[in-house]
């Protein structure tokens, strides 16, 4: 790329296309499809930073249970385990809190555990008497 006097880079002009960009080019993904197609949009990255974010969320949930008085023990274990394909680093998070309810959810008609793990924006932190 060329440079202007102030040192700014000049980007080459994009090639013009005859194709119009309109509302019909907007894709709407339903359910978990957007997470499967672009997981980095939800966890920030699909690399080590994304993994760190996921681990932090699980640890944060356990600590929230303790802070709310619903558990007295939180354990985080970092380990390396031998598998058939070679060693794997693992993170295990345990607490003695309430866990995820397993009864049928009134809106989905499915077990609450399945709802929490498969429906976007489903969880106990969005309101209700027992949200933490």
């Amino acid at each position: 790329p060329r440079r202007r006097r102030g040192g700014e880079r000049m980007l080459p002009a994009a090639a013009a296309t005859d194709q119009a960009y309109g509302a019909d080019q907007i894709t709407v993904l339903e359910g978990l499809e957007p997470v499967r197609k672009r997981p980095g949009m939800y966890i920030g990255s699909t690399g080590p930073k994304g993994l760190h974010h996921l681990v932090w969320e699980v640890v944060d949930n356990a600590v929230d249970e303790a802070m709310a008085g619903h558990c007295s023990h939180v354990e985080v274990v970092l380990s390396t385990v031998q598998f058939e394909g070679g060693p794997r680093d693992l993170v295990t998070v345990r607490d003695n809190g309430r866990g995820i309810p397993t009864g049928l959810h009134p809106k989905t008609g499915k077990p609450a555990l399945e709802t929490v793990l498969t429906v976007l924006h489903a969880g106990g932190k969005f309101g209700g008497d027992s949200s933490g």
Side-chain angles (χ1 to χ4, degrees):
R2 300 179 316 206
R3 295 195 179 267
R4 293 184 182 165
R5 273 189 221 169
E8 297 173 4
R9 291 175 49 195
M10 292 176 56
L11 299 176
T17 64
D18 292 334
Q19 187 176 14
Y21 180 58
D24 56 330
Q25 271 85 38
I26 303 298
T27 302
V28 176
L29 303 175
E30 302 285 339
L32 292 176
E33 190 179 7
V35 178
R36 288 187 186 106
K37 286 197 177 269
R38 302 258 192 251
M41 289 178 63
Y42 294 86
I43 60 171
S45 163
T46 56
K49 286 185 178 183
L51 175 61
H52 181 266
H53 178 83
L54 292 174
V55 170
W56 183 260
E57 283 295 322
V58 173
V59 171
D60 192 44
N61 285 342
V63 171
D64 283 350
E65 282 286 285
M67 298 289 289
H70 298 295
C71 84
S72 60
H73 179 82
V74 174
E75 180 181 355
V76 179
V77 178
L78 305 176
S79 58
T80 301
V81 177
Q82 287 292 335
F83 283 98
E84 213 173 277
R88 303 288 294 222
D89 296 327
L90 299 178
V91 177
T92 304
V93 181
R94 291 188 187 106
D95 68 50
N96 63 346
R98 297 173 293 175
I100 301 172
T102 56
L104 289 182
H105 188 272
K107 186 173 180 180
T108 64
K110 297 177 181 180
L113 175 63
E114 180 181 345
T115 300
V116 167
L117 296 177
T118 62
V119 177
L120 285 179
H121 311 300
K125 293 186 178 184
F126 298 108
D129 293 336
S130 64
S131 63

